[in-house]
């Protein structure tokens, strides 16, 4: 999608710290990490939010998150997966993305 930040990252028009790519998803390190590991997993096919996504798309993102959690050494101690949705949900980029956060203790409830 034209002028979508994450579509442009997936296309290689904007540089990113890519950590994983397959047929369905692209994953890269967050530019403003909120934890020692902070990776964004995004579907290659643009959708604005989880409200527009199929179960298959969300499943592909979750599969990549599990693979990356193991690869980053997070599966023993734990990690957090977050999908911010809409303005009150704190979504700043309108291309669906799954945050994988780990490497520190997480607080609950989130701010
Ligand atoms: P959200 O607030 O849930 O929409 O998350 C968007 C995330 O994208 C934030 O955590 C930003 O730090 C991150 N972000 C914005 N621009 C870039 C970029 N060019 N490369 C990597 N991460 C980015």
């Amino acid at each position: 999608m034209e002028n979508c930040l994450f579509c442009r990252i997936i296309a290689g028009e904007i540089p990113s710290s890519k950590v994983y790519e397959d047929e369905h998803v692209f994953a890269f390190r967050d530019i403003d990490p909120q934890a020692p590991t902070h990776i964004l997993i995004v579907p290659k096919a643009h959708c604005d939010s989880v409200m527009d996504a199929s179960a298959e798309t969300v499943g592909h993102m979750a599969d990549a998150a599990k693979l990356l959690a193991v690869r980053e050494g997070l599966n023993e101690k734990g990690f957090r997966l977050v999908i911010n949705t809409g303005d009150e949900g704190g979504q700043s980029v309108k291309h669906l993305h799954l945050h994988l956060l780990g490497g520190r203790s997480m607080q609950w409830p989130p701010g």
Side-chain angles (χ1 to χ4, degrees):
M1 198 190 196
E2 215 177 314
N3 288 330
C4 167
L5 174 62
F6 288 173
C7 284
R8 295 188 69 199
I9 286 176
I10 292 164
E13 296 168 12
I14 294 174
S16 69
S17 298
K18 182 174 104 173
V19 293
Y20 179 75
E21 180 176 12
D22 65 23
E23 184 185 349
H24 303 288
V25 303
F26 190 95
F28 52 99
R29 295 197 188 276
D30 197 291
I31 204 168
D32 182 21
Q34 302 301 310
T37 294
H38 188 172
I39 291 170
L40 301 175
I41 299 145
V42 309
K44 286 187 168 176
H46 180 95
C47 54
D48 286 354
S49 82
V50 73
M51 297 304 287
D52 305 323
S54 67
E56 286 77 13
T57 295
V58 176
H60 291 310
M61 295 164 71
D63 282 346
K66 290 190 284 183
L67 180 152
L68 287 165
V70 171
R71 194 184 279 178
E72 296 280 321
L74 302 175
N75 54 318
E76 293 280 320
K77 287 190 169 178
F79 54 89
R80 182 169 289 176
L81 300 177
V82 176
I83 299 177
N84 294 326
T85 305
D87 292 339
E88 288 202 359
Q91 183 180 7
S92 62
V93 178
K94 305 302 188 220
H95 180 135
L96 173 62
H97 49 283
L98 177 61
H99 295 257
L100 167 61
L101 297 140
R104 66 167 172 83
S105 290
M106 302 290 162
Q107 306 302 310
W108 193 262

